[in-house]
């Protein structure tokens, strides 16, 4: 569904992504794990055309999207939930969800989709008239995911959904990611929380200073002594 081949991204003289190749099949949950600054966000930003690609190709559903305009990508069903949520703080919860549906042509189906989001995150139903900026960190993350779901994505790119959240909330978010995947959305997940990410993924890629140093079946990586020592706190 998504194929990244030999991707290189630079910020000035900084070589942030070095010949990265990643493949995501339809229906999978794939995670990209690595420390701060390893290049995880840059990978997602390159897919969404928010970071400039120096060389390499990104293909989505058979189409080369490497140079596609960023604003045209979500309407292909490829939607990013950015790091740090980036919800619209001065708009209400409901207005944020409305914006998520902005590119939808089938406006008549929206009612059912608000309901689907509220079922996944009941707190958002209670808070729908509240300004999004007054939500807790966990609720803002739920809203960011809910807003992305309103566009009915085929594939979600999730950038550090666990960042700064308490363990119980992280569990809730990850349970919902699994649920979203089961209802047919392919997931590419970027996480520093390698334990959580690997526990829900089919496969994973490990990034170190802009390079993929290891990849494979998530369960096997969880049992790999080097991965355990470096990423799983064992
Ligand atoms: P984090 O979890 O901290 O976001 P990351 O794995 O997502 O880390 P990236 O944000 O992709 O890492 O950063 C990869 C490298 O590129 C880092 O060395 C970072 O400092 C650098 N970098 C990222 N964005 C920029 C930018 N806009 N200008 C210059 N350097 C950047």
């Amino acid at each position: 569904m998504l194929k990244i081949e030999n991707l290189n991204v630079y910020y000035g003289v900084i070589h942030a992504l070095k010949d990265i190749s990643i493949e995501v099949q339809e229906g999978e949950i794939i995670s990209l794990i690595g420390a701060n600054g390893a290049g995880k966000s840059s990978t997602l930003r390159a897919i969404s055309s928010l970071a400039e690609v120096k060389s390499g190709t990104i293909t989505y559903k058979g189409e080369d999207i490497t140079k596609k305009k960023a604003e045209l990508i979500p309407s292909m069903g490829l939607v990013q939930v950015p790091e740090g949520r980036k919800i619209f703080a001065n708009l209400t919860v409901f207005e944020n969800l409305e914006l998520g549906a902005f590119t939808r042509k089938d406006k008549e189906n929206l009612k059912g989709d608000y309901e689907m989001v509220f079922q996944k995150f009941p707190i958002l139903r209670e808070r729908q008239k509240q300004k999004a900026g007054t939500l807790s960190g966990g609720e803002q993350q739920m809203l960011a995911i809910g807003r992305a779901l309103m566009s009915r994505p085929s594939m979600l790119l999730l950038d550090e959904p666990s960042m700064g959240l308490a363990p119980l909330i992280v569990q809730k978010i990850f349970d919902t990611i699994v649920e979203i995947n089961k209802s047919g959305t392919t997931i590419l997940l970027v996480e520093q929380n390698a334990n959580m990410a690997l526990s829900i993924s089919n496969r994973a890629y490990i990034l170190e200073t802009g390079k993929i140093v290891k990849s494979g079946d998530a369960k096997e990586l969880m049992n790999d002594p080097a991965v355990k020592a470096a990423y799983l706190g064992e």
Side-chain angles (χ1 to χ4, degrees), residues 169-197:
I169 312 287
V170 173
Q171 187 64 54
K172 157 77 185 149
I173 302 271
F174 274 70
D175 288 347
T176 311
I177 294 171
V178 170
E179 208 182 285
I180 292 167
N181 174 253
K182 284 198 176 129
S183 30
T185 305
T186 305
I187 310 269
L188 179 57
L189 172 66
V190 153
E191 262 299 337
Q192 275 196 58
N193 188 337
N195 268 312
M196 284 302 286

Side-chain angles (χ1 to χ4, degrees), residues 7-9 15-22 32-35 37-40 42-43 205-215 231:
L7 186 69
N8 284 282
V9 167
H15 195 176
L17 295 181
K18 301 165 186 159
D19 265 326
I20 292 217
S21 296
I22 291 173
L32 256 183
I33 60 185
K40 306 181 298 299
S42 297
T43 306
Y205 294 81
I206 299 180
L207 267 174
E208 274 174 23
T209 58
K211 276 201 194 110
I212 289 169
V213 292
K214 209 166 246 183
S215 64
Y231 296 100

Side-chain angles (χ1 to χ4, degrees), residues 194-200 217-225 227-228 232 234:
N195 268 312
M196 284 302 286
L198 290 176
S199 73
I200 66 162
D217 179 82
K219 298 283 167 300
E220 282 169 24
L221 289 173
M222 281 181 103
N223 291 315
D224 181 315
V227 174
K228 279 184 173 174
L232 304 178
E234 288 177 32

Side-chain angles (χ1 to χ4, degrees), residues 11 14 16 34-43 83 159-160 190 192:
Y11 299 107
I14 300 171
N36 258 322
K40 306 181 298 299
S41 299
S42 297
T43 306
E83 186 177 343
D159 198 348
E160 303 246 10
V190 153
Q192 275 196 58

